[in-house]
Structure formats: C-alpha cells, structure tokens
Amino acid sequence: MADVLVVGGGPAGLSAALFAGKNGLDVTVFDTDKTWMHKAHLFNYPGIGSIDGSNYLSVLREQVDDFGVDRQQGVAVDGVESTGDGFTVATEEGEFDGDYLVLATGANRDLAEGLGCELTDEGIVDVDVTMETSVEDAYATGAMVRAEEWQAVISAGDGAAAALNVLSKEKGEHYHDFDVPADATELFGSLVDAE
Ligand SMILES: Cc1cc2nc3c(=O)[nH]c(=O)nc-3n(C[C@H](O)[C@H](O)[C@H](O)COP(=O)(O)OP(=O)(O)OC[C@H]3O[C@@H](n4cnc5c(N)ncnc54)[C@H](O)[C@@H]3O)c2cc1C
C-alpha cells in the first residue's frame, strides 16, 4: 500500500510529494500535466530570480524523482473514495490504495466534492492551516483552497504543510524537515550512489 496518494502534479502536488518522499513515505503522484505553470514565467518565486514555468516544473519533477516518488505522469484520476482506513483512487491504469490523500488539482474541486469534503460559503474547499479537509487524512492544497490569490509559491507552501502534517501523524509528534550544510554532502553522495 502506498502511504500517500497525490492527485495533481503542479507546485502544490509536487511539493507535497517532495516533502513526503524525502522523509521516507511511499508516494504516488498522478498528473495530467495541465498545470498553469506551462503558461507562467516566474519573477516572484522567492530565492529564484527568473524561471520559465515549464523549466521550474522540470526541475521539481527531477527533484521528486530523485527522492523515489512514483510519478504517474499522464494518468488521470477519475474518482476517489474513502475506504474507512484509507483511500482508493480510480484511474485508467487501475485502482491505487493509500493511507493519505493529497488533492492538488488546481482550481478544479470535483474530486474533493465527490469525496464529501466540506466547502466554504465561497465554494472553496474548507481546510485549516495543515491543509486537512473535513474528511480525516484527506488534504486539499493549492488553487482549490483559494477563491483567487493564486501564486505558485503559495501552492508549494500548501503542499509542504500537508506533507508535514502527514509526517507528524506518522511519527506521533510535530515534525519539521530541517537540514544543515553538513547534510548536503551526505545527501548528494546518497543520491549519486542511487543512480
Ligand atoms: C498565465 C499565467 C501566468 C501566471 N504567472 C504566475 C507568476 O508569475 N507567478 C506565480 O506565482 N504564479 C503565476 N501563475 C499562477 C500559478 O501558475 C498557479 O498559482 C499554480 O500553477 C497553482 O498550482 P497548483 O499546484 O495549485 O495547481 P496547477 O498548477 O494548476 O496544477 C494542477 C495539476 O493537477 C492536474 N490534475 C487536475 N485534475 C487531475 C486529475 N483528475 N487527475 C490527475 N491530474 C489532475 C492538472 O493537470 C495539473 O497539472 C500564473 C498562472 C497563469 C495562468
């Protein structure tokens, strides 16, 4: 069983996958590649001067791949359902089971509504700062949780928040993913060894 199923591979979904995968969870991402990032050029992503949206996506995809995320690129999710102790997503490639579900389908809220997630009066998916929805262990991130005020860095932050909350649940205490300079040598070495 996969630990975390992520639907959507824009900044929100891939950020959730990055944090979850980097910290040892088994992650599968489904994505139909309709992300708005292919239309964007970022001058406002903190720490990055200027990057074409598609290039940003290429870097981020490589980053999650390096951490062992199973990226089901081009695979659409047709439905999601709660099984009581996890979730099942239905795709043309078959069904996938997971303990946690992260929805990151941009402004499209159909899957969240189908799962029974509560919406706000504005019609956006209702979440708290952990990005968990009214359905336990189901998270909603990115454009679907805001009426407008859509920005790539905000979506990426949402995905990270969802993954950290999943990690906190799994580890039984509040979790953060802090690295220090000495970790860079060790991490780079392990990534080279894995190739
Ligand atoms: C023209 C334009 C310019 C922009 N410029 C900027 C900018 O300069 N700076 C900035 O910060 N932001 C910019 N943005 C906004 C930015 O692109 C969005 O805020 C960001 O892409 C939202 O990320 P997300 O992950 O929430 O959703 P998205 O990036 O929309 O990603 C959602 C992904 O989910 C996939 N998906 C949806 N449903 C399913 C399903 N059922 N199964 C599988 N996959 C599914 C989609 O194909 C898509 O790849 C711009 C947007 C546009 C349109």
Side-chain angles (χ1 to χ4, degrees), residues 27-188:
V27 185
T28 305
V29 179
F30 307 89
D31 181 49
T32 46
D33 202 22
K34 298 280 190 273
T35 168
W36 292 341
M37 294 305 291
H38 288 308
K39 300 176 181 173
H41 188 104
L42 304 179
F43 295 104
N44 56 6
Y45 202 92
I48 296 190
S50 163
I51 189 168
D52 173 80
S54 295
N55 287 348
Y56 162 88
L57 208 61
S58 296
V59 173
L60 184 48
R61 285 176 177 172
E62 191 176 334
Q63 200 176 3
V64 303
D65 291 353
D66 282 345
F67 284 110
V69 168
D70 174 17
R71 198 159 47 77
Q72 297 277 321
Q73 200 60 55
V75 176
V77 170
D78 301 320
V80 295
E81 64 180 40
S82 172
T83 58
D85 63 348
F87 300 90
T88 298
V89 305
T91 78
E92 60 193 5
E93 303 292 328
E95 293 189 341
F96 293 76
D97 297 323
D99 304 314
Y100 300 93
L101 176 70
V102 178
L103 296 173
T105 52
N108 188 321
R109 303 173 180 103
D110 292 351
L111 292 179
E113 287 191 67
L115 186 64
C117 299
E118 288 177 11
L119 305 185
T120 69
D121 293 342
E122 278 188 298
I124 63 176
V125 184
D126 196 9
V127 290
D128 59 21
V129 292
T130 70
M131 313 315 292
E132 191 166 17
T133 68
S134 58
V135 176
E136 190 176 5
D137 295 338
Y139 296 78
T141 58
M144 66 170 60
V145 301
R146 288 180 180 79
E148 296 278 344
E149 300 166 13
W150 293 316
Q151 298 291 164
V153 68
I154 294 177
S155 286
D158 287 350
L164 283 190
N165 193 251
V166 169
L167 285 157
S168 293
K169 288 185 183 185
E170 286 293 295
K171 294 176 188 293
E173 60 185 2
H174 290 299
Y175 188 77
H176 48 245
D177 182 28
F178 287 0
D179 292 308
V180 297
D183 298 328
T185 313
E186 190 182 333
L187 183 60
F188 182 73

Side-chain angles (χ1 to χ4, degrees), residues 13-31:
L14 290 181
S15 177
L18 172 64
F19 278 80
K22 178 175 181 288
N23 289 282
L25 299 184
D26 191 5
V27 185
T28 305
V29 179
F30 307 89
D31 181 49

